[in-house]
Amino acid sequence: MDERTPVLIGAGQFTYRGDPASSPSPTALLKIAAERAAQDAGLDPEKLSKIDTLAVVGFTIDAPGGGRLVPHSTNPPATLAKRIGAQPRHAVYSHMGGNSPQQLVNIVSERIAKGETDLALVVGCEFLGSATKRLTKGLGFADWDDAEELPAPERIGDPRPGVTAYEAKHGLGRPINCYPLFENALRARDGRSIPDHQKRLGELFAPFTKVAAQNPEAWFPVERSAEELVEVTDRNRMVGFPYTKYLNAIMEVDQSAGVLVASLKTARELGVAEDKLVYLHGCADASDLWYPLDRQNFHSSPAMRLTGKRALEMAGVSLADIGHIDLYSCFPVAVEVGAEELGLALDDPRGLTVTGGLPYMGGPGNNYAMHSIAVMMQRLRDDPGSYGLVTANGWFLTKQSTGVYSTAPPKGPFDRQDPKIIQAQIDALPHPTVIEEPKGAATIETYTVVHGREGYMMGIVVGRDAEGRRFVANTPTDEATLAGLEAKEAVGRTGTVSRSEDGSRNIFVPD
């Protein structure tokens, strides 16, 4: 093999379940994961000082408009570098997106293959669990000593917000509101009844809970039945129809994970054992038509299909050769669409997760896929020569990154395809005209009903007007209207759309 071949040499994870008043700071979480990655590689944590590239996954709290309610470093890579005694030549902080961990591994691996990097740390964390509790209980953050005011870091990734102002105004900016739109569109396309589809959702995610129950780092290590996942109860309320709480990713966790990536030459110079080495055989990155209203439909993902195809081609293997799989699983539809685009059955005997998935292992903001990669590395070490597939998804089935891994040495040089090649194919896809102020007769293309803790809140409708133009609207908030949308299939239902009395939103009134 070429001595510039990139190889993953160590992975570390950490889950904090203790008193929120004593919870680790963001930098402490990152440092723990980094040190565990070094130890996993058989290295003294002091060797972290040798990294020349540091990539930190963006914290959820640093999303545009998030404010700084929680004190933390304004330059997480720089603060972490000081804590581990490193002086990396290249340090980056990612923009928002759950695709970021896999994308960063892909980018770092390319840098290594080109001779630009020898040893890299890719790491991320989430701390909303303890941070939220500290804020609500007035505990303060005096013990967090990483709130440094530093020059802004170099950012990497796509900085665009996930939705337009028009979409956000109608509620699409929250994942718990937006993903149900895809789910209901998928159900309607397949012609399943609402009860039958709810049964399918429970059957899909029950095996995920079983994996989570056996994962020592899982946030909710509890096995649940298919029926328990979808039955509406006081503990499992409806959130965004058709998703109950147990079907939603949980971001309020305290978890970190990171991996060390090196050139084969550096790995051997460090003395990393051969049976620790895991190679990235194939990878790809692309985004679907960016904003939800621009999509061709709400039940597919060309980016998932094309990145999966490219990653397998680069690896020189077929889907049948894959022994271990982790599909991004923020909500059921991400798994359903991902499986369909890759050609996987939902009951594939290989299973669709190695961690337990975001609702059960934990949905640590943008960093879940780092846990996928960490667990996948161990699975592959335990099953030498087998291949593992990891997919990572950002925003609203928008940004996709895919990786194919194995302990087997690659058959050729690492040659990451320019993401612009796939992106050009996707950007050229036809899509509907969007109208912001529709008026008159219209038809529901997809929809959801948003619930709060006290019950119904609002309805969201994506529809087409008489000329086939796509729009988004809310519905009247009376219980009869909202309950009616949940009682029977509303995709295809007709109605009238107009502006709200204050002129701020569209309102769709079903016939």
Side-chain angles (χ1 to χ4, degrees):
M1 277 188 294
D2 188 326
E3 64 180 16
R4 301 302 318 170
T5 300
V7 60
L8 284 74
I9 61 174
Q13 300 182 81
F14 175 64
T15 297
Y16 178 78
R17 298 187 179 87
D19 184 350
S22 304
S23 62
S25 70
T27 305
L29 286 169
L30 295 173
K31 185 171 183 282
I32 291 169
E35 291 174 341
R36 289 188 174 189
Q39 291 166 348
D40 178 60
L43 305 177
D44 189 300
E46 291 183 359
K47 295 290 187 182
L48 291 170
S49 64
K50 295 183 175 295
I51 66 168
D52 55 47
T53 294
L54 173 59
V56 177
V57 175
F59 304 150
T60 300
I61 204 165
D62 284 339
R68 297 194 68 77
L69 293 175
V70 177
H72 62 283
S73 174
T74 56
N75 190 327
T79 301
L80 175 61
K82 286 197 293 185
R83 294 294 179 86
I84 60 176
Q87 294 181 311
R89 299 192 304 269
H90 181 64
V92 293
Y93 187 53
S94 81
H95 286 292
M96 297 299 103
N99 63 307
S100 301
Q102 183 61 59
Q103 182 185 43
L104 292 175
V105 169
N106 297 348
I107 291 171
V108 162
S109 296
E110 183 178 36
R111 287 181 57 87
I112 290 171
K114 290 181 175 179
E116 299 169 349
T117 291
D118 293 315
L119 179 62
L121 170 64
V122 187
V123 66
C125 74
E126 192 51 81
F127 46 90
L128 285 179
S130 61
T132 300
K133 293 182 179 70
R134 284 178 179 238
L135 286 171
T136 56
K137 296 181 179 180
L139 299 175
F141 298 90
D143 59 321
W144 283 12
D145 60 352
D146 60 354
E148 295 186 300
E149 294 292 332
L150 299 171
E154 177 184 342
R155 301 301 294 265
I156 190 169
D158 196 317
R160 287 179 290 176
V163 295
T164 65
Y166 169 46
E167 292 169 331
K169 191 177 296 182
H170 291 86
L172 268 62
R174 303 187 69 197
I176 59 174
N177 295 353
C178 196
Y179 276 89
L181 298 173
F182 293 93
E183 189 69 63
N184 288 324
L186 183 69
R187 181 191 65 238
R189 183 205 67 177
D190 293 345
R192 268 185 298 278
S193 69
I194 290 174
D196 284 348
H197 193 72
Q198 294 302 93
K199 182 173 182 288
R200 167 178 151 127
L201 298 182
E203 291 172 346
L204 172 65
F205 266 7
F208 281 61
T209 71
K210 185 174 183 179
V211 174
Q214 300 166 1
N215 181 349
E217 300 297 340
W219 194 251
F220 294 117
V222 179
E223 184 174 354
R224 299 189 188 278
S225 69
E227 296 76 16
E228 188 179 2
L229 292 177
V230 296
E231 182 183 3
V232 177
T233 65
D234 290 342
R235 296 180 61 84
N236 189 35
R237 66 181 180 85
M238 186 63 71
V239 176
F241 177 76
Y243 293 151
T244 58
K245 181 181 178 182
Y246 289 159
L247 300 178
N248 283 256
I250 304 297
M251 289 202 304
E252 292 188 356
V253 301
D254 295 281
Q255 294 178 302
S256 60
V259 296
L260 285 170
V261 192
S263 67
L264 183 60
K265 177 184 178 182
T266 299
R268 288 174 172 165
E269 288 175 347
L270 290 169
V272 179
E274 291 289 325
D275 62 3
K276 290 286 189 180
L277 306 183
V278 176
Y279 298 93
L280 178 63
H281 282 243
C283 64
D285 308 275
S287 299
D288 275 308
L289 296 172
W290 192 265
Y291 299 114
L293 291 186
D294 287 334
R295 304 293 166 78
Q296 288 190 295
N297 55 58
F298 288 87
H299 51 69
S300 69
S301 170
M304 285 184 175
R305 180 174 68 256
L306 293 173
T307 57
K309 181 173 181 287
R310 174 56 196 159
L312 290 168
E313 287 175 348
M314 179 179 170
V317 298
S318 70
L319 194 61
D321 297 318
I322 299 296
H324 308 279
I325 300 166
D326 197 87
L327 299 187
Y328 199 88
S329 51
C330 49
F331 299 89
V333 76
V335 177
E336 294 167 299
V337 172
E340 181 173 311
E341 298 292 17
L342 292 169
L344 290 165
L346 295 183
D347 60 352
D348 191 294
R350 292 170 288 189
L352 301 180
T353 183
V354 296
T355 67
L358 283 89
Y360 318 113
M361 193 297 296
N366 301 311
N367 200 51
Y368 165 78
M370 197 76 75
H371 293 265
S372 301
I373 296 168
V375 176
M376 185 64 76
M377 286 177 64
Q378 192 56 53
R379 285 284 186 96
L380 297 175
R381 289 166 172 170
D382 293 341
D383 187 13
S386 65
Y387 289 85
L389 173 70
V390 171
T391 69
N393 160 67
W395 284 130
F396 309 105
L397 295 186
T398 310
K399 300 189 279 188
Q400 308 301 329
S401 293
T402 304
V404 175
Y405 298 86
S406 180
T407 58
K411 300 168 185 174
F414 185 89
D415 185 18
R416 179 183 179 230
Q417 185 185 75
D418 188 336
K420 292 179 181 177
I421 294 175
I422 293 178
Q423 198 59 55
Q425 298 177 50
I426 296 171
D427 291 345
L429 293 172
H431 52 92
T433 299
V434 174
I435 181 171
E436 294 201 5
E437 296 190 14
K439 185 176 182 180
T443 304
I444 296 177
E445 183 176 0
T446 189
Y447 70 102
T448 186
V449 176
V450 180
H451 293 244
R453 295 185 182 278
E454 305 304 318
Y456 291 114
M457 287 182 64
M458 66 175 178
I460 301 174
V461 165
V462 173
R464 300 291 187 104
D465 70 3
E467 297 181 37
R469 296 173 296 188
R470 183 180 277 161
F471 66 86
V472 63
N474 296 129
T475 67
T477 57
D478 61 284
E479 185 169 335
T481 296
L482 299 178
L485 292 171
E486 294 184 346
K488 61 181 180 180
E489 185 60 74
V491 172
R493 190 171 173 181
T494 59
T496 304
V497 63
S498 61
R499 297 296 283 176
S500 60
E501 289 186 5
D502 63 4
S504 64
R505 295 173 297 132
N506 298 323
I507 300 295
F508 177 89
V509 180
D511 290 338

